[in-house]
Amino acid sequence: MRKNAIIQALLTAGLIASAPLASAANLVFCSEGSPAGFDPGLYTTGTDFDAAAETVFNRLTQFERGGTQVEPGLAESWEVSDDGLTYTFKLRPGVKFHTTEYFKPSREFNADDVLFTFGRMLDKDHPFRKAYPTEFPYFTDMGMDSNIAKLDKLDDMTVRFTLNEVDAAFVQNLAMSFASIQSAEYADQLLKAGKAADINQKPVGTGPFVFSRYQKDAVIRYKGNPDYWKPEDVKIDNLIFAINTDASVRMQKLKAGECHVTLFPRPADIASLQQDAKLQMPEQAGFNVGYIAYNVTHPPFDKLEVRQALDMAVNKQAILDAVYQNAGQLAVNGMPPTQWSYNEDIKDPAFDPEKAKELLKAAGIKEGTEITLWAMPVQRPYNPNAKQIAEMLQADWAKIGIKARIVSYEWGEYLKRAKAGEHDAMLIGWSGDNGDPDNWLGTLYGCDAVDGNNFSKWCFEDYDKLVKAAKRTTDVDKRTELYKQAQVILKREVPITPLAHSTVYQPMRKEVQDFRISPFALNSFYGVSIGK
């Protein structure tokens, strides 16, 4: 199969403008799944964020490429009041929204766009939200809907957020994908046309790439933004996401030159990819965790003894050896050891199926009790093969008298049903989004996240008080101590069983220049170029 075959095929299908390949910089990214939509505020997964937030949109603040440091984005600068409750942002002048077939802006980015973006998240009676009823899971999981007291437009290029309580990570939170800035003018156009839902299918942003078209389960097409406010970051004329859920197929396409960058190689493929002279394989320690979430609202998972039994019956080392191979480490806590405030004093209970049987018997659980175990249908940075892990868990739990029936759905449906609480136990995980402990301990296990990313539906008052107290102080030493105490409770109450932290590998062609692995497991192509 010759190089650029996929681009030629897409040209034939009319999915790429018919310009000579030699005169344009084209980059094909073999991605792992179809996005549920293109409105970043509605979603929580990397698949959705890659397809929209990292291409089409910008945020007020942003993370440096390949790092966790916050830098100016659509806000040139900001000031924080002495009491930590008021944030005033000076907006960047001269920023243009995209011109597309379906929208032509009449003005540049200003404060009205910031007010629209956050106004519809804050106000359930917002006209646009009533026309297009939606929820904003990340925003609410982090408690931002209750903590932002008001948002004011001071002038066309200045906005002010007033908080009810101190949020030590507020500037970092605004750099996250869900906080992508939308066009108020475009939203108004959609509202008047009775097509509010188009904001999720025909996106308009200020980002480095302009959305062109999307064919579900096949391809997403973007053009480089000629009017980008940071022109040196746009070095690609055509960016194509070629969607394929099969990891082995993605690697074959990469080796054949049908795509330039891909992700999530199977551990068994890593050695051969590293030996291929036409490829490069940068890697870094994963800022992630894969885990089992127990739905504590479903009997028998409401009993601590049952969760303890299932936890100590999991042969983690066998899973690490078989599934992660040499690309991961055993997880003990609900966040990775590379996250500051990680509690190194916490240890795993011993693998002990016999004691697990005793706990189940004492809890009155009959042998042969049936549960559902949900397995993700896609690879994620924290889990290279959920189906295989589910089968190993099924065998582990059968040995203590629990019959687990493995269930799976399409990725978007999987998350939707899990947030609705349909599962008993499920495989899930997380890659950090902003470098702050609250992004794990609050977003995944806090009470505010019970209807969102807290898939255990676990709300424990003592734990929640500690996490919220930590978020309300800017003293790092105090925050660290509070988070360490919270981790002790999380381990003791067992709403989850942490499994592993995986190493992140990013296979790509040698001609790809200046691609940087994101610690947040996102794939960004601004600043990336294609050489010879």
Side-chain angles (χ1 to χ4, degrees), residues 216-419:
K216 185 174 172 59
D217 299 329
V219 68
I220 315 172
R221 159 81 161 79
Y222 311 85
K223 291 183 180 296
N225 180 4
D227 299 317
Y228 192 49
W229 55 271
K230 200 175 181 183
E232 65 273 18
D233 274 355
V234 183
K235 301 177 181 179
I236 298 168
D237 297 311
N238 295 297
L239 174 63
I240 302 100
F241 280 32
I243 300 165
N244 197 299
T245 59
D246 189 315
S248 61
V249 172
R250 291 198 302 272
M251 301 312 135
Q252 290 167 13
K253 287 180 178 291
L254 181 73
K255 288 185 173 185
E258 293 187 47
C259 57
H260 298 95
V261 181
T262 190
L263 72 177
F264 308 153
R266 299 180 307 173
D269 292 335
I270 289 171
S272 66
L273 291 167
Q274 289 172 326
Q275 293 164 9
D276 192 318
K278 294 181 180 179
L279 304 180
Q280 49 183 319
M281 273 279 283
E283 65 178 87
Q284 68 183 31
F287 194 51
N288 59 48
V289 62
Y291 61 93
I292 309 165
Y294 304 113
N295 186 346
V296 301
T297 68
H298 283 198
F301 300 98
D302 54 337
K303 294 184 177 182
L304 175 60
E305 297 87 350
V306 173
R307 303 195 300 271
Q308 290 173 325
L310 292 173
D311 179 76
M312 67 178 61
V314 174
N315 191 337
K316 287 189 185 181
Q317 189 61 52
I319 290 173
L320 193 73
D321 294 342
V323 180
Y324 293 85
Q325 299 181 27
N326 294 319
Q329 66 183 101
L330 287 177
V332 176
N333 288 358
M335 62 184 190
T338 47
Q339 173 65 65
W340 63 267
S341 80
Y342 181 88
N343 192 335
E344 296 181 354
D345 294 332
I346 292 174
K347 307 299 180 188
D348 255 349
F351 170 58
D352 194 340
E354 291 306 314
K355 185 175 179 181
K357 286 182 184 178
E358 293 173 9
L359 284 170
L360 290 176
K361 185 176 180 180
I365 306 303
K366 294 180 179 178
E367 187 168 347
T369 294
E370 296 186 3
I371 64 169
T372 59
L373 170 60
W374 289 25
M376 300 179 304
V378 296
Q379 281 183 293
R380 299 305 302 152
Y382 47 77
N383 191 328
N385 192 331
K387 182 176 183 292
Q388 185 179 0
I389 291 178
E391 290 169 349
M392 295 181 75
L393 292 174
Q394 185 181 51
D396 284 343
W397 289 343
K399 293 172 184 175
I400 62 170
I402 298 294
K403 294 178 66 175
R405 179 171 60 86
I406 298 173
V407 174
S408 191
Y409 298 95
E410 180 271 330
W411 184 224
E413 189 71 10
Y414 184 91
L415 293 171
K416 179 181 177 182
R417 287 174 176 265
K419 287 176 181 178

Side-chain angles (χ1 to χ4, degrees), residues 1 30 44 48 59 62 75 79 101 111-112 152 167 174 202 228 240 251 279 349 358 365 382 398 406 410 412 455 462:
M1 297 176 73
C30 280
T44 61
D48 301 304
R59 289 148 290 286
Q62 62 188 32
E79 295 179 357
E101 295 176 356
D112 292 335
D152 296 308
D167 181 348
L174 293 183
K202 297 178 178 179
Y228 192 49
I240 302 100
M251 301 312 135
L279 304 180
E358 293 173 9
I365 306 303
Y382 47 77
I406 298 173
E410 180 271 330
F455 293 106
D462 290 347

Side-chain angles (χ1 to χ4, degrees), residues 1 32 56 221 257 280 307 467 484 487 531:
M1 297 176 73
E32 88 292 6
V56 177
R221 159 81 161 79
Q280 49 183 319
R307 303 195 300 271
V467 171
K484 285 187 174 182
Q487 289 168 72

Side-chain angles (χ1 to χ4, degrees), residues 158-181:
T158 312
V159 297
R160 181 177 61 205
F161 290 84
T162 302
L163 308 183
N164 289 313
E165 297 174 328
V166 172
D167 181 348
F170 188 69
V171 171
Q172 291 96 314
N173 294 344
L174 293 183
M176 293 166 63
S177 298
F178 75 88
S180 295
I181 300 298

